[in-house]
Each structure stands twice: as C-alpha cells, then as structure tokens.
Amino acid sequence: MEKSIEKIWNEAFITEDSLIAPKINDLYNQKSKSIINKIKRTYEFDNRGLLPMAGIVTIGGILLSETIIGLYGTFLILALYVFNSRLLKRFNSLDIKSDNLNYLKSYRRIISSITRSTKKLFMFALPLAVLSIFVLAFFIKDESFLSRFITDDTTLLQTLGIGALIAVCISIICTIAYTISTRILYSTLFSKLDDIIIEMENLKEQ
C-alpha cells in the first residue's frame, strides 16, 4: 500500500493536470486526523480517571479515620489532574493553519514534552508529595496506618528518613508503571503517527 501511494504521488507530479496528488494529501490528512483524535481521547480519558480516584481517597480516608491525610491525598491527586490538564492545553497552541506535515511534527514534539514532564513529576514531585504526607502524619500524631512507622518516640529527622526511603521506592515503582502503561496505551498510536510523518517526509523529498 505504501509503495503504491508513493508511486501514485510521483506520477501525479509528472502529469501536471493530475488530481491524484491532492487526493493523496487528503488521504494522509484523514489518516493523521484519526490517529490524533484517538491520542487526544486516550489522554483525556486517562486524565479524567484521576477524578474518581480522588473521590475514593477521600472516602477511604474518612472510613479509616484518616480524614486529614485523606483530604490531603485528594488535594495532591486533584493537583495532578490540573497539572495534566495544563499539559494537554499545549495542543491548543498549535497552528491549525500550518501544513499537515509541520502540524504533525509539532504535535509529536508536544507529546514528547508531555511524556518528559510527567516522568519528571514521578521522579521528583511525587517523592516530595509522599514525604510531605509523613511530615503531616508526624505533626498530627493520630492513630493511623502510618503509626507503624511513626510513634511518639520517633523524631522528625527519623520520620523524614523513613518517608524519604518509602518515597523513593514509590517513585521508582510509579515511574516504571507509567512507562509500561504509556507503552500499552499509546505505543501503537505513537508508532502510527511517526510512520505517517516519515512517509510524508519521504514523499515531500521526492
């Protein structure tokens, strides 16, 4: 199929009055639009999944008598939702009037920047968030699931040490989980998008 498209494309430029080249353009436009819409829907669905998670954390915190920590955890999840939403708004900055190839390249660059930003979030911001929960639990001193790590005899420095260790472990696990889930959800779509960009570049050079 790909070879036949390239052949038709070349023949279209040989015959000046041919209308096949614009048809090939339309074909790529439709194909790329379909993939972009799928990527966008998947991103939005993935991000909206944080909202019910925030509700579960709130309810769980109340049921487990961890209201303050539960509400704080909910706040962190909602902050992640806002963070992701702001990242996704980068797509709105694209110039829809540009030609399809440049648009797709810009779209792909934004996808890469979102992936890098999210990985940095899991590597740096998440450990700080987990550590802050331990600090909060230290000052609250309530009976909780953290009481097995924090007792009345535990100092703030010890709490920070325990929290930091757990935070690093969670960060590593979440980063790996994010990498795997990204490959599962987006790998095929990203690959198709890259293929279209390469095909269009090759056709443009010929």
Side-chain angles (χ1 to χ4, degrees):
M1 178 65 181
E2 294 175 1
K3 290 183 178 179
S4 62
I5 290 177
E6 291 184 11
K7 184 177 180 181
I8 294 173
W9 180 275
N10 292 330
E11 291 175 352
F13 281 102
I14 293 175
T15 308
E16 293 182 356
D17 59 344
S18 175
L19 296 177
I20 296 179
K23 290 181 180 179
I24 298 299
N25 246 334
D26 290 339
L27 176 63
Y28 276 112
N29 288 341
Q30 293 173 11
K31 189 177 179 181
S32 60
K33 184 177 180 180
S34 174
I35 294 174
I36 285 176
N37 286 336
K38 287 179 182 178
I39 293 175
K40 182 180 179 182
R41 287 197 302 269
T42 306
Y43 266 132
E44 291 176 347
F45 178 79
D46 197 16
N47 192 38
R48 284 197 296 268
L50 293 172
L51 296 179
M53 187 184 300
I56 292 173
V57 170
T58 301
I59 296 173
I62 294 173
L63 294 177
L64 295 173
S65 299
E66 297 280 358
T67 305
I68 296 179
I69 293 179
L71 290 175
Y72 182 65
T74 300
F75 167 76
L76 293 176
I77 293 174
L78 291 177
L80 177 59
Y81 171 80
V82 173
F83 174 79
N84 287 339
S85 298
R86 291 178 67 87
L87 287 180
L88 295 180
K89 285 183 179 179
R90 293 181 183 179
F91 290 118
N92 298 332
S93 65
L94 292 175
D95 183 10
I96 58 175
K97 294 181 180 180
S98 63
D99 65 90
N100 195 40
L101 179 57
N102 287 329
Y103 180 86
L104 293 180
K105 286 182 176 180
S106 299
Y107 198 93
R108 190 65 179 91
R109 283 195 294 269
I110 290 179
I111 289 175
S112 298
S113 69
I114 289 176
T115 302
R116 288 194 300 270
S117 297
T118 305
K119 283 187 176 180
K120 288 179 181 178
L121 177 75
F122 284 122
M123 293 174 64
F124 302 108
L126 180 61
L128 291 176
V130 173
L131 188 59
S132 66
I133 291 177
F134 276 83
V135 174
L136 180 63
F138 173 81
F139 287 107
I140 293 176
K141 298 287 189 183
D142 281 342
E143 288 295 326
S144 66
F145 71 98
L146 290 177
S147 61
R148 69 188 66 179
F149 304 108
I150 304 173
T151 64
D152 292 334
D153 298 327
T154 305
T155 65
L156 178 59
L157 185 60
Q158 290 173 327
T159 301
L160 290 174
I162 296 171
L165 179 61
I166 295 177
V168 170
C169 293
I170 292 177
S171 175
I172 293 173
I173 293 173
C174 288
T175 301
I176 294 174
Y178 170 75
T179 302
I180 295 174
S181 64
T182 298
R183 288 184 179 179
I184 293 174
L185 292 173
Y186 301 101
S187 179
T188 301
L189 294 174
F190 291 167
S191 179
K192 289 181 178 179
L193 182 59
D194 290 337
D195 288 342
I196 290 178
I197 292 175
I198 293 174
E199 289 174 14
M200 294 187 71
E201 285 178 333
N202 291 337
L203 291 173
K204 191 173 183 180
E205 291 174 358
Q206 294 178 7

